[in-house]
Amino acid sequence: MAEYDFDLFVIGAGSGGVRAARLAAMSGAKVAVAEEYRVGGTCVIRGCVPKKFMVYASEVTSQLKTAKGYGWTIPEAQFDWKGFLHDKDVEIARLSGIYVTNLQKAGAHLLHGRAQIVDAHTVEVLPKEGSKDAGRYTARKILIATGGRPWKPDFPGAEFGVTSDEAFHLPTLPKRVLVVGGGYIAVEFASIFNGLGVQTTLLYRGANILRGFDDDVRMHLAEELEKRGIKVVLGCDHKSIEKTDDGLLSTLSNDLTFETDAVMFATGRDPYVEGLGLDKVGVKLNERGAIVVDEQSRTTAENIWAVGDVTDRINLTPVAIREGAAFAQTEFYDTPTSFDHDMVASAVFSQPPVGTVGMTEAEARHAFGKVDIYRSVFRPMKLTFYGGQERCLIKLVVKQDDQKVVGVHMVGPDSPEIIQMAAIAVKMGVTKPQWDSTCAVHPTLAEELVTMREKYRPSEMATV
Ligand code: NDP
């Protein structure tokens, strides 16, 4: 009889967990995956994928504007929120089904229910309505891939606000919304609501949105969001929210009040470790409540690993996938692998969107002292045709001594698509002369990336 029920027990069927489970199962290992909600995790069920559908839906407003600019006569457009939500949920169910099928095809065993670690080799799956999977299972190795949960601040009336989880299912589209926060989710949802015709205010406590991004990107995006009709309120926080006859009344730290129909908190996400029983098995958490892991995703407990947002390294789907794959390579294919977290590109699907890879100007100046900055702000030709005022930003950060391109930052149409290609060159260590030797593709917006020759700022200076 086998020593354990499974070679690997994965807790959480999101991006990281599913990739690890499939790869491990394909090696011939006996694998179980427990999921308390729906297979696919945050990305598929209530994150990247439904968000992108909402981005597509909301971008139509500016596409209609462009169409008019190019001579089309368009009757007044109507948006059907309920119909859209229905179709989005059908597509999400289809994608979740593909995840289930892929797990099954790989030979992994899916268990429906919430899992708790009992000891270093035992996991208990708790009873769940409609599932017969409850029970104790033993495993040679345990992988935690439970992701994160939205977090909202605690102040009088905060309970009236929703998070992104609920924003994907609002029964009606509000007429006025206040989005709180200045990170990825806040700017993305503010853009979505604005695009769908909702009167949108973005409230952020700091000096400018997207803390941690390049300062030029932050300034440029805040201006562009305002140009598109979003009211951006900076340096101010909530005191309270009250329910009124007409909606929700937010009182801010500067005593300004805002009446809206909905308040959405996009104030960060916490690693989802609640109820996993980690203290019993010696899995250490850091000060943010995330599971501490080494470069091969080993926790502080023997034979327990963790990948993805629950470890709070870089909280992005492709990173969780690569961490899950590296774990499987190491533990089930005898190929020690660790994912390199350096130069990971990312995109913010705001409108206009942001694409970024590598260091900000401030980080590069801090690290290297002298850096060359190339920067271009311009109206894309698609817009100049009809007098559109939106501008793009393209910026290169170059280390002066060896001319390595250490950062590329973009705000403008298709930035997420373009940055994916730029990331290859940057990851390979491209220099500015090599970058410049690349011939432009004309006429495109992206050609500006390879045609910037004039330094924008002196190499030595304080960061703006
Ligand atoms: P972020 O950490 O990006 O942003 C959280 C925001 O909330 C910050 O602006 C923060 O302000 C603010 N905040 C925190 N606490 C409070 C408070 N008490 N009161 C008011 N404001 C507060 O988190 P998100 O929720 O936007 O996204 C979570 C993660 O998910 C991201 O970090 C990203 O990794 C991932 N993600 C990626 C996406 C993509 O790839 N396109 C899309 C969506 C999410 P401050 O800056 O001052 O701390």
Side-chain angles (χ1 to χ4, degrees):
M1 208 176 115
E3 197 183 348
Y4 299 105
D5 298 327
F6 295 102
D7 297 309
L8 173 66
F9 196 107
V10 181
I11 306 179
S15 304
V18 166
R19 180 55 58 98
R22 284 179 57 205
L23 282 176
M26 283 154 67
S27 77
K30 209 171 166 205
V31 177
V33 189
E35 171 57 52
E36 66 172 348
Y37 187 52
R38 293 172 66 191
V39 174
T42 301
C43 173
V44 176
I45 307 298
R46 44 194 172 193
C48 323
V49 174
K51 180 275 307 287
K52 195 76 190 278
F53 292 140
M54 286 172 124
V55 170
Y56 288 138
S58 60
E59 279 174 345
V60 172
T61 319
S62 72
Q63 287 157 358
L64 290 174
K65 199 170 137 196
T66 307
K68 284 180 192 159
Y70 278 86
W72 290 83
T73 303
I74 314 235
E76 203 194 332
Q78 300 290 333
F79 177 65
D80 174 8
W81 173 248
K82 280 208 163 75
F84 165 75
L85 287 190
H86 170 269
D87 293 350
K88 173 207 56 133
D89 289 341
V90 168
E91 180 61 1
I92 297 302
R94 188 183 73 85
L95 295 171
S96 176
I98 290 175
Y99 268 63
V100 173
T101 310
N102 286 344
L103 274 172
Q104 286 165 344
K105 270 194 205 152
H109 193 76
L110 187 58
L111 301 168
H112 298 278
R114 187 180 165 79
Q116 269 180 1
I117 301 176
V118 177
D119 63 41
H121 289 286
T122 313
V123 179
E124 173 145 26
V125 174
L126 303 180
K128 182 182 174 184
E129 214 185 308
S131 161
K132 292 188 180 137
D133 296 333
R136 287 194 170 194
Y137 301 88
T138 58
R140 187 179 305 279
K141 296 173 189 200
I142 297 172
L143 176 70
I144 304 167
T146 46
R149 290 280 129 129
W151 173 88
K152 58 183 188 181
D154 186 19
F155 60 81
E159 68 275 14
F160 297 125
V162 298
T163 67
S164 55
D165 279 359
E166 297 85 41
F168 287 119
H169 300 282
L170 291 176
T172 53
L173 192 59
K175 287 200 165 51
R176 304 160 296 175
V177 71
L178 181 64
V179 179
V180 187
Y184 284 82
I185 298 179
V187 296
E188 288 180 348
F189 268 88
S191 297
I192 288 167
F193 284 124
N194 183 57
L196 294 177
V198 179
Q199 193 184 311
T200 305
T201 305
L202 181 63
L203 174 71
Y204 175 53
R205 63 181 179 179
N208 207 349
I209 55 172
L210 289 185
R211 182 167 63 84
F213 282 69
D214 187 88
D215 287 327
D216 280 325
V217 167
R218 301 171 70 191
M219 259 184 293
H220 187 89
L221 183 67
E223 278 171 23
E224 291 296 319
L225 293 181
E226 290 236 330
K227 265 188 209 165
R228 283 163 173 75
I230 298 173
K231 190 178 174 79
V232 180
V233 179
L234 299 172
C236 163
D237 220 339
H238 257 110
K239 259 189 188 167
S240 64
I241 304 176
E242 286 162 66
K243 225 179 170 110
T244 65
D245 289 344
D246 295 324
L248 298 174
L249 187 72
S250 291
T251 304
L252 308 186
S253 50
N254 59 5
D255 288 328
L256 257 177
T257 56
F258 268 97
E259 194 168 59
T260 55
D261 304 303
V263 174
M264 175 182 158
F265 290 102
T267 42
R269 294 173 63 86
D270 279 345
Y272 188 37
V273 292
E274 209 183 295
L276 280 174
L278 301 184
D279 45 340
K280 282 185 282 184
V281 284
V283 171
K284 238 197 209 159
L285 304 181
N286 67 17
E287 64 292 343
R288 284 254 310 114
I291 296 179
V292 175
V293 287
D294 67 11
E295 67 281 358
Q296 286 182 335
S297 298
R298 274 188 209 92
T299 70
T300 47
E302 214 177 312
N303 71 274
I304 301 183
W305 287 256
V307 294
D309 289 9
V310 76
T311 63
D312 194 29
R313 284 175 278 181
I314 301 178
N315 299 330
L316 299 171
T317 295
V319 173
I321 290 173
R322 296 295 289 269
E323 289 169 356
F327 158 78
Q329 287 291 336
T330 307
E331 299 302 324
F332 292 92
Y333 291 83
D334 210 14
T335 310
T337 311
S338 46
F339 172 64
D340 176 9
H341 290 82
D342 194 28
M343 293 292 178
V344 171
S346 83
V348 185
F349 294 94
S350 45
Q351 293 165 42
V354 176
T356 180
V357 61
M359 296 171 123
T360 67
E361 179 180 345
E363 285 167 349
R365 284 194 189 280
H366 183 73
F368 312 124
K370 292 183 185 173
V371 293
D372 295 339
I373 300 299
Y374 298 85
R375 200 189 88 138
S376 177
V377 175
F378 59 98
R379 283 194 301 151
M381 67 183 277
K382 186 171 176 183
L383 271 71
T384 53
F385 181 81
Y386 62 88
Q389 291 306 310
E390 289 95 351
R391 285 172 194 274
C392 296
L393 165 77
I394 292 186
K395 177 170 176 178
L396 295 185
V397 181
V398 179
K399 190 170 162 233
Q400 202 195 44
D401 59 1
D402 57 10
Q403 288 296 294
K404 281 233 159 89
V405 179
V406 293
V408 183
H409 309 280
M410 291 187 64
V411 185
D414 301 322
S415 299
E417 306 290 340
I418 297 165
I419 209 71
Q420 178 68 83
M421 300 310 293
I424 299 172
V426 174
K427 180 88 183 166
M428 289 172 72
V430 69
T431 63
K432 183 67 164 57
Q434 289 168 329
W435 185 276
D436 288 346
S437 72
T438 309
C439 189
V441 178
H442 183 74
T444 65
L445 183 158
E447 69 183 299
E448 199 73 19
L449 269 173
V450 293
T451 51
M452 292 186 291
R453 299 287 185 269
E454 298 284 313
K455 284 181 207 162
Y456 173 67
R457 278 196 261 274
S459 304
E460 277 179 284
M461 64 171 291
T463 312
V464 287

